Each structure stands twice: as structure tokens, then as C-alpha cells.
Amino acid sequence: MTVEVIAIGGYEEVGRNMTAVKVGEDVVILDMGIHLDRINVHEDTNIDRMHSLDLIERGVIPDDTLMKDVDGKVKGIVFSHGHLDHIGAVAKLAHRYDAPLIGSPYTAALIQKQINGERKFKVDNKIKRLNPGKKMVLSKNITLEFVQATHSIPQAVFPVLHTPEGIIVYALDFKFDNHQKVSLPPNYNRLKELGDQGVLALIVESTNVKNTTQVKTYSERIARNILEDLMYEPLRSKTGMIITTFSSHIERIQAIADIAKKSNREIVFLGRSMERFGGIAQSQGILKLPKNATIYGSSKAINRALMEANENRDKYLLVTTGHQGEPDALLPRIASGKTPFTVKKGDNVIISAPVIPNPTNAANRHIMESRLKGRGARIYSGAHVSGHAGPEDHREFLRMLKPQHIIPAHGDLSMLSAYGELAEEEGYRIGKNVHILRNAQAQVFNTN
């Protein structure tokens, strides 16, 4: 029986992740994401009315038309976590496959929300929830297991496929964090057990593998400590206060709320995506906001909150979307004077997110910060730690799993190659058991 790994998206870029694994005649699809950089698609941008063929042509979603040539039956569409570069294309592509959508409960709820907002296609795929530590039989040849992982969103997992030819581990995305508040640590013992059982192939992200300044990714606990220091004086000042961060980063949102809950300020989370990610996390008991915290997603509610905060600026902490400077997001609009809240001299703005590296983001962020400074705001940046494993984390991961073959993913050619170089330091060889794929290529393992 042959095992084939088909690279559909995410093997030439960071984003639009989608991989298919074919075991005999059975196929499992892993992730269906969007490419945030190809058009101005960020947390508050709506692609619900666009056609999939247009989005494929623009490089926004994976080009899965190659699946027409794959001789097999899709048994499941499995999602590693709820970020848009992993679930954002589900409403555009899933209806083409007669297969269930499978994710952790939080991821499944985000997928359902994505489907509910779709305006172009009718998606009737059944949504199945699988908790970390549990298994699900997909076919006689494939059993799916979710292994606990940590990332910058709750309930991220390592999807593991148990097959007659060996184990396949899909590791997009993860970090090793033992000190998160809303997520358990990774299940290191289970990863080691899988390594002892025999991992045929590891499909693994390469996002941070080139990071030479931070070879091991710091815990989210470090970000909490930084935020606590940065927030101490502004919370007690008589000026306006704004924090911007990833709306999907529930761990970070929880930290901000916990730090500010004993202050005299009302904590107001503002933005459509804040309501989407935070509301679902609240409903599932993942996010536990204090009594002085509220989430507003509609334009009217946001504007009312901004008007109230503008009149009583020392009584509110505004937590907004727009950390990349996206023109239509809330903080850039505040910076441009397009909202009822006016930034004044001495107001404090904390940016708890890095610039996602591309020229558009860098330009947008520079414009936003310049406008805020021009209005007299004090800006504090750098209150962030990455959600992606560093080089030494990857080295540790390889030693746990001991995979026979490695397929780097989630990166451009330089990132995939850098992962190959790291693997070679661990005794692997590019072209022999490290396989650098491009979109629309496949790697076949003949195990007989």
C-alpha cells in the first residue's frame, strides 16, 4: 500500500494551507486556509461574497482543482486550529467533497461561523468535534487522533493519522508552551509514544525556523509579564488607553482582562473579529472575562462605546483590532480621526502584536503609528511573543518523534530549505528523507 502526501497550498508561501494525504484509496484533507497577503484580507475583511475561482486565481485560497486527478475518496477534512490561514477557505472549498469537517470544539465553532457567513456557496458538510486525546475512525485504513498542542489560539492540535504503513503527524502550527492560562501544555508523553511506535512522515511548519535571535520561542507567560509592566502606569493615568492585539489570541485577551480587572476602567473589546473569536471562546468557557469587560462587534455598538470613552477617557480601556494598520480596521480608523474617539496628547497605545513581515503591513503599520504620534499618543510596542516554534523547539520535536521522513510546510522556499538544513544537522538528508515540495507536487512513500 502506498502513502502519498499532496501539497496543495502553503508550500510556496505562509498561508492558504492545505495538504492531502492518500493512503491506498482513502484520502484525508488537512486544513483549508486563505493567504492573508494576496489581497487586503485581514481579521475584519469579508470575502463571503467572492467566488472561489476568483479567489484561486488571485492566490487567496488553495488551488484544489488538482484533486480531480487524485484517484481516491476523501474520508475527512481535518483542521489543526482556527486561524484563517487554516480554516478561511472552508466555505469556498468544502462543498466539493462528500466528507465531514473535523476539528476541536473551538475550531469547529469557528468553522461553523465561517460557513454561516458564506453568501456564494451552500456548505452541507457535517461538522464533527474531536477533543485532544481522542481518536476517530475515518476508514479501515485511517484512524485520526488529536494530540494536545499549544499555539496562539485555543485548542490547537497535532492531527495524527494512524495507517497500516505507519503514523503521519501534521504539525501546523505549534509552539512548546508550558505556562498558558487557557490551554494545557503539549502532550509530550504522547508525542514520544508516537515516536516509539513509528512515525512514517512528519509534515511540519517552518515559520520560525530561520529565527536566529530567539532559538527557542518564549512562553506566553513572558508576554503577560511585559503587558503587566506596560499597563501599570497607563491604567492609573487620567489619559486615554488603547491596546491592540490579535482577536484570535484568546490567551492574550485573557491576560489583558486579568491585568485590568482590578483597575477603575471599563474594559471594552471592540471589533467584528473580537466578537467572533472572543464570543465563541466565552460561550465555551475558554475565555473568562471579568464583570467590568464587554465585547462589542457591531458598528453601532462600537461607535456608542467610543463616544462614551471619548467623554470619559480615564474610565475606559479600549482593546481593538487593527494591529497591522489595516486601513479598514478600528485602530487605524481611530488614528485617522474617522471614529467618535479622538486621540489626544498623552494617550497611551500598546501594540501587542508584531508587524507580520511584508511590505504592505510594514507600510500600513508605519502610517498608523505616525498618525497616532502626530496626535500626541505614546506608543508601546513589543508586547508579544511568537506562537510558532523556534529552531531548538523543532530540534526537540524531531528527537521526540524520530520520523522516517520530513516534509517542511507553511513557508516559502527559503524557509522550507532552512528546515531541511536544520534536519540535516539531526542526521537527515535533503532529497533522501527530507522532501521539499512546491504547491501541486506530491511525495509518494512505497513502504512495501
Side-chain angles (χ1 to χ4, degrees):
M1 182 182 296
T2 61
V3 175
E4 185 175 358
V5 176
I6 305 164
I8 305 173
Y11 292 81
E12 297 177 11
E13 63 277 306
V14 177
R16 60 170 181 169
N17 297 287
M18 185 172 175
T19 301
V21 177
K22 184 171 180 281
V23 182
E25 300 303 316
D26 300 331
V27 179
V28 175
I29 292 174
L30 298 158
D31 286 342
M32 287 179 166
I34 60 176
H35 191 333
L36 295 172
D37 298 343
R38 288 298 173 91
I39 58 173
N40 189 21
V41 180
H42 285 276
E43 290 176 336
D44 284 334
T45 301
N46 190 341
I47 64 170
D48 300 334
R49 298 183 183 277
M50 299 180 70
H51 197 283
S52 58
L53 295 179
D54 294 332
L55 293 170
I56 288 173
E57 185 177 352
R58 297 184 191 187
V60 177
I61 66 175
D63 184 356
D64 71 333
T65 56
L66 63 88
M67 290 297 291
K68 296 176 181 178
D69 299 323
V70 175
D71 186 18
K73 168 69 174 175
V74 177
K75 298 294 185 179
I77 304 171
V78 179
F79 297 89
S80 57
H81 63 283
H83 280 147
L84 290 178
D85 56 339
H86 296 261
I87 70 166
V90 62
K92 302 298 181 182
L93 301 179
H95 64 281
R96 304 180 186 188
Y97 306 94
D98 182 18
L101 312 176
I102 306 166
S104 63
Y106 183 65
T107 303
L110 291 171
I111 290 169
Q112 184 65 69
K113 190 86 170 179
Q114 197 80 13
I115 291 171
N116 290 348
E118 176 61 23
R119 295 294 178 266
K120 205 73 177 177
F121 300 103
K122 183 174 177 61
V123 182
D124 291 326
N125 305 63
K126 186 175 182 180
I127 298 177
K128 294 186 177 181
R129 291 156 178 79
L130 186 65
N131 285 310
K134 299 300 182 181
K135 294 181 179 180
M136 179 183 295
V137 176
L138 301 183
S139 73
K140 65 177 182 179
N141 289 321
I142 304 175
T143 296
L144 169 67
E145 177 183 4
F146 275 176
V147 177
Q148 175 71 42
T150 47
H151 184 37
S152 51
I153 191 170
Q155 296 186 6
V157 296
F158 298 116
V160 175
L161 304 180
H162 295 268
T163 81
E165 307 305 323
I167 295 167
I168 299 163
V169 178
Y170 183 76
L172 276 65
D173 299 326
F174 75 100
K175 66 184 290 188
F176 288 153
D177 195 336
N178 304 316
H179 305 288
Q180 291 198 5
K181 291 185 123 183
V182 304
S183 298
L184 295 172
N187 192 338
Y188 301 111
N189 289 336
R190 184 56 181 154
L191 293 172
K192 292 173 184 175
E193 288 174 358
L194 294 172
D196 291 339
Q197 292 173 19
V199 174
L200 172 64
L202 168 64
I203 305 165
V204 60
E205 67 152 306
S206 59
T207 312
N208 260 1
V209 76
K210 293 170 64 178
N211 190 339
T212 57
T213 59
Q214 189 182 124
V215 295
K216 182 171 177 61
T217 300
Y218 295 140
S219 166
E220 186 63 25
R221 179 173 61 179
I222 303 300
R224 291 199 299 272
N225 290 341
I226 295 170
L227 278 168
E228 195 164 11
D229 282 345
L230 292 181
M231 292 171 64
Y232 184 83
E233 290 297 338
L235 281 173
R236 290 155 180 79
S237 72
K238 296 298 183 182
T239 55
M241 184 177 180
I242 303 173
I243 300 178
T244 183
T245 191
F246 296 95
S247 55
S248 60
H249 204 322
I250 302 303
E251 182 79 26
R252 192 73 51 81
I253 289 170
Q254 184 71 66
I256 292 167
D258 288 349
I259 294 166
K261 67 181 178 182
K262 293 181 181 179
S263 72
N264 293 323
R265 292 179 183 256
E266 291 288 319
I267 311 164
V268 185
F269 294 92
L270 301 174
R272 219 162 27 92
S273 59
M274 282 285 183
E275 185 178 54
R276 178 169 70 248
F277 287 103
I280 292 173
Q282 265 193 301
S283 68
Q284 294 193 358
I286 298 169
L287 175 63
K288 298 178 175 63
L289 293 180
K291 292 181 179 179
N292 61 332
T294 312
I295 303 176
Y296 295 115
S298 72
S299 296
K300 287 184 178 179
I302 290 170
N303 285 334
R304 283 198 301 269
L306 289 174
M307 289 175 65
E308 181 66 25
N310 196 54
E311 296 299 320
N312 302 277
R313 54 205 314 108
D314 62 332
K315 300 297 184 185
Y316 285 86
L317 165 60
L318 307 179
V319 186
T320 75
T321 58
H323 47 80
Q324 295 304 302
E326 313 95 307
D328 293 333
L330 186 53
L331 184 55
R333 291 175 56 238
I334 291 173
S336 300
K338 297 178 179 178
T339 74
F341 185 88
T342 302
V343 175
K344 296 182 178 179
K345 186 175 181 179
D347 285 350
N348 297 282
V349 179
I350 297 174
I351 303 177
S352 186
V355 178
I356 298 173
N358 68 59
T360 301
N361 286 338
N364 285 339
R365 177 83 161 251
H366 175 75
I367 291 169
M368 178 184 74
E369 291 191 22
S370 297
R371 286 172 174 165
L372 289 168
K373 289 177 182 177
R375 293 175 179 271
R378 302 175 66 188
I379 297 177
Y380 305 83
S381 57
H384 181 71
V385 298
S386 177
H388 297 273
E392 288 304 313
D393 300 307
H394 282 292
R395 198 181 305 278
E396 184 178 353
F397 197 43
L398 291 177
R399 294 178 183 183
M400 287 181 192
L401 290 176
K402 304 185 287 278
Q404 296 176 44
H405 298 272
I406 301 169
I407 301 176
H410 207 325
D412 58 29
L413 182 58
S414 68
M415 297 159 71
L416 306 185
S417 300
Y419 199 101
E421 292 176 2
L422 181 145
E424 287 198 332
E425 294 174 4
E426 292 297 306
Y428 294 86
R429 287 293 176 267
I430 296 175
K432 179 183 179 183
N433 45 22
V434 179
H435 311 281
I436 309 295
L437 301 181
R438 313 300 282 149
N439 292 343
Q441 292 182 342
Q443 178 64 42
V444 178
F445 301 111
N446 291 301
T447 57
N448 294 334

